[in-house]
Amino acid sequence: MTDNTSTPAAQGMPLAVIGAGAVGVTTALHLRRLGHDVTLLSTDAPGSENATSYGNAGWLSPGSVVPISMPGMWKKVPGYLLNARGPLRLRPASLPHIWLWLLRFVACGATPARARAIASALRPFLADAPERHARLAAEAGVPDLIQRTGLVIVYPDAAAYEADAFGWQLRRENGVRWRTLDRAALEAACPGLGPQYGFGALLPDGAHCADPGGYVAALAALARERGVRFAAGHVDGFVVEAGQVRGVRTAGGVVACGGVVIAAGMGARALGATLGDTIPLVGERGYHVQLPGVTDEPAIPVMMSDLKFGITPMTGGLRAAGQVEFAPDGAPPDWNRARILLDCLREGLPMMKIGGFGTVRHWMGNRPSTPDCLPVIGPSPTTRGVFYATGHGHLGLVSAPWTADLIGRLVIGAPVPEAAPYDPARFLRFRL
Ligand SMILES: Cc1cc2nc3c(=O)[nH]c(=O)nc-3n(C[C@H](O)[C@H](O)[C@H](O)COP(=O)(O)OP(=O)(O)OC[C@H]3O[C@@H](n4cnc5c(N)ncnc54)[C@H](O)[C@@H]3O)c2cc1C
């Protein structure tokens, strides 16, 4: 482990944050608020469609403590893979690169004790996230982008809800509140919902972001106003002297700094490798379709538990987001996955007038996912002054404020015992 006590950041040296997605922008803003001299460098502009933060489902849910990897998941995977319209696809060409990651991923939540440990490590990111995001949005002058309407998860029937009992138990153990809805209550909460959904749960403390790309852009504008400098450019390496980072390298030259936060989403894997750090991220691809101009959309976000996708009312139209696809890095998107989402949307909301695929906007992005369902937040094992803030998988938007809070303490070398589960050093012996 490196010793980050009395860090250059604590002594007032400039900090560079790499990545202008939700995590990087929120972190840069927070570090500036703490009085640091901050430059944010990013390949893409804040709010860009190229960042995963642009196209997500916008859910800010305390209920997301339930890990993706759960006991018994391995039994469901073959069924998902064999179903051409299922929520999971694995392109065979990706297998040689990710099989070890996949095995570890399935194992990480394979027992109730392991799933419970993940849930309690995720809790701090989620518990008060709606409140934190609402404050940030108000500060950035876009209060309407955080909607605190609650969130609904729907099931075919009460038996299907009961089959998810362990997930609901984990939510209860982590202080999440909900109330169940019968078909009549569901119809009142989500008018137009297909008759195949007879049971649901309303999470009243959940919220959603009605335009994730616009939100990131607004937070970036606030950060700029507060004195964060922005530098467009792809970072391809670091200047390191005697084990201490002194600068970041871009095509335009070196930006000198005494500390770096790598908040580059999937880009953190390659940046870590230049330092000799293993940051074993795999891109869990997801897709969305967005229908502009719909008027009869539900007012509250809905998650179809059977088809594993979410429907969220956005300022730019109704968005259906989901699907997990493992594909080789750089392979072109498979827009059939987005077509599946459109079909699921038609089935979920049969009363809505939904046009053909050509009439909807579609998008693909990479969730930066770790093999243990936990983010990577903490000091580089190899290089003093470098910190990671990545690996948030399915939860990067909701988790951004708490991540920024942890980084704010880590960069000055303060003891942050609650960051221990996210320590990058846990992957020292992992090979991807
Ligand atoms: C379909 C889908 C639905 C989702 N739904 C939700 C949801 O409802 N709620 C939720 O909380 N999360 C959700 N997520 C996950 C969430 O979107 C991600 O976890 C989050 O966006 C990751 O944010 P980030 O800032 O780490 O990365 P990104 O948003 O990808 O940003 C990374 C930034 O780093 C820059 N960058 C990369 N490499 C370099 C480099 N070398 N030099 C300079 N810049 C670099 C990129 O240009 C980019 O700007 C969803 C994801 C998907 C795909």
Side-chain angles (χ1 to χ4, degrees):
M1 288 283 293
T2 50
D3 174 15
N4 277 285
T5 50
S6 186
T7 62
Q11 294 156 16
M13 288 187 66
L15 291 174
V17 176
I18 305 174
V23 176
V25 167
T26 310
T27 300
L29 177 61
H30 184 66
L31 291 172
R32 182 68 198 131
R33 205 196 309 273
L34 295 175
H36 296 287
D37 174 335
V38 183
T39 300
L40 194 148
L41 299 106
S42 190
T43 315
D44 300 296
S48 158
E49 291 194 21
N50 295 333
T52 314
S53 298
Y54 170 87
N56 55 62
W59 280 48
L60 309 172
S61 177
S64 299
V65 289
V66 180
I68 304 296
S69 174
M70 284 278 275
M73 185 181 77
W74 62 272
K75 290 185 217 157
K76 295 183 187 159
V77 168
Y80 288 152
L81 289 174
L82 290 171
N83 177 359
R85 293 185 59 230
L88 174 65
R89 185 181 177 221
L90 196 157
R91 295 198 206 176
S94 66
L95 212 45
H97 310 288
I98 63 167
W99 67 271
L100 195 57
W101 185 100
L102 280 175
L103 285 180
R104 182 140 171 205
F105 182 78
V106 171
C108 79
T111 66
R114 289 184 194 174
R116 198 165 262 125
I118 297 170
S120 67
L122 290 175
R123 177 183 179 160
F125 293 93
L126 309 173
D128 61 353
E131 179 60 38
R132 285 172 180 265
H133 281 283
R135 276 203 303 269
L136 277 172
E139 210 180 328
V142 288
D144 292 348
L145 289 190
I146 303 300
Q147 295 280 325
R148 306 185 73 176
T149 53
L151 303 161
V152 172
I153 302 177
V154 298
Y155 292 89
D157 49 33
Y161 167 80
E162 290 301 335
D164 252 1
F166 182 55
W168 290 104
Q169 188 183 332
L170 289 180
R171 291 187 177 101
R172 182 177 296 109
E173 288 169 7
N174 286 284
V176 179
R177 298 190 309 145
W178 75 94
R179 67 171 185 275
T180 54
L181 307 172
D182 61 14
R183 173 68 203 181
L186 259 188
E187 270 173 32
C190 330
L193 190 69
Q196 67 275 35
Y197 294 109
F199 202 83
L202 170 72
L203 287 78
D205 302 321
H208 69 278
C209 176
D211 175 7
Y215 178 49
V216 171
L219 293 180
L222 177 66
R224 195 187 297 271
E225 199 182 296
R226 297 275 161 90
V228 172
R229 284 186 296 277
F230 282 71
H234 190 74
V235 175
D236 50 29
F238 302 88
V239 179
V240 179
E241 290 168 6
Q244 163 69 47
V245 73
R246 296 287 176 205
V248 296
R249 292 184 198 281
T250 70
V254 170
V255 175
C257 60
V260 177
V261 180
I262 301 179
M266 273 304 295
R269 186 179 69 197
L271 288 169
T274 68
L275 295 167
D277 290 337
T278 300
I279 308 297
L281 301 178
V282 160
E284 268 188 80
R285 290 175 168 204
Y287 291 78
H288 85 218
V289 288
Q290 185 158 309
L291 288 59
V294 288
T295 50
D296 47 354
E297 64 184 32
I300 189 167
V302 183
M303 173 77 65
M304 274 55 177
S305 62
D306 52 345
L307 302 171
K308 309 270 179 242
F309 81 107
I311 298 173
T312 311
M314 297 277 175
T315 54
L318 187 65
R319 179 177 293 183
Q323 290 279 324
V324 167
E325 182 192 35
F326 294 102
D329 289 347
D334 172 5
W335 292 121
N336 193 38
R337 309 317 296 175
R339 284 193 181 85
I340 292 169
L341 286 171
L342 190 62
D343 289 346
C344 293
L345 185 58
R346 276 203 193 91
E347 286 165 26
L349 298 172
M351 307 299 284
M352 260 185 70
K353 291 184 197 65
I354 297 175
F357 192 65
T359 66
V360 304
R361 291 173 56 85
H362 47 275
W363 172 92
M364 186 278 288
N366 277 293
R367 301 176 184 92
S369 297
T370 59
D372 62 4
C373 291
L374 292 176
V376 185
I377 301 167
S380 156
T382 61
T383 312
R384 284 192 308 282
V386 173
F387 298 83
Y388 291 93
T390 185
H392 296 82
H394 292 239
L395 302 174
L397 178 67
V398 59
S399 303
W402 178 243
T403 301
D405 193 308
L406 293 173
I407 289 289
R409 289 178 279 150
L410 286 161
V411 294
I412 55 165
V416 190
E418 64 268 49
Y422 327 117
D423 190 344
R426 71 191 191 273
F427 296 123
L428 271 177
R429 280 185 293 280
F430 191 85
R431 289 289 161 262
L432 190 62

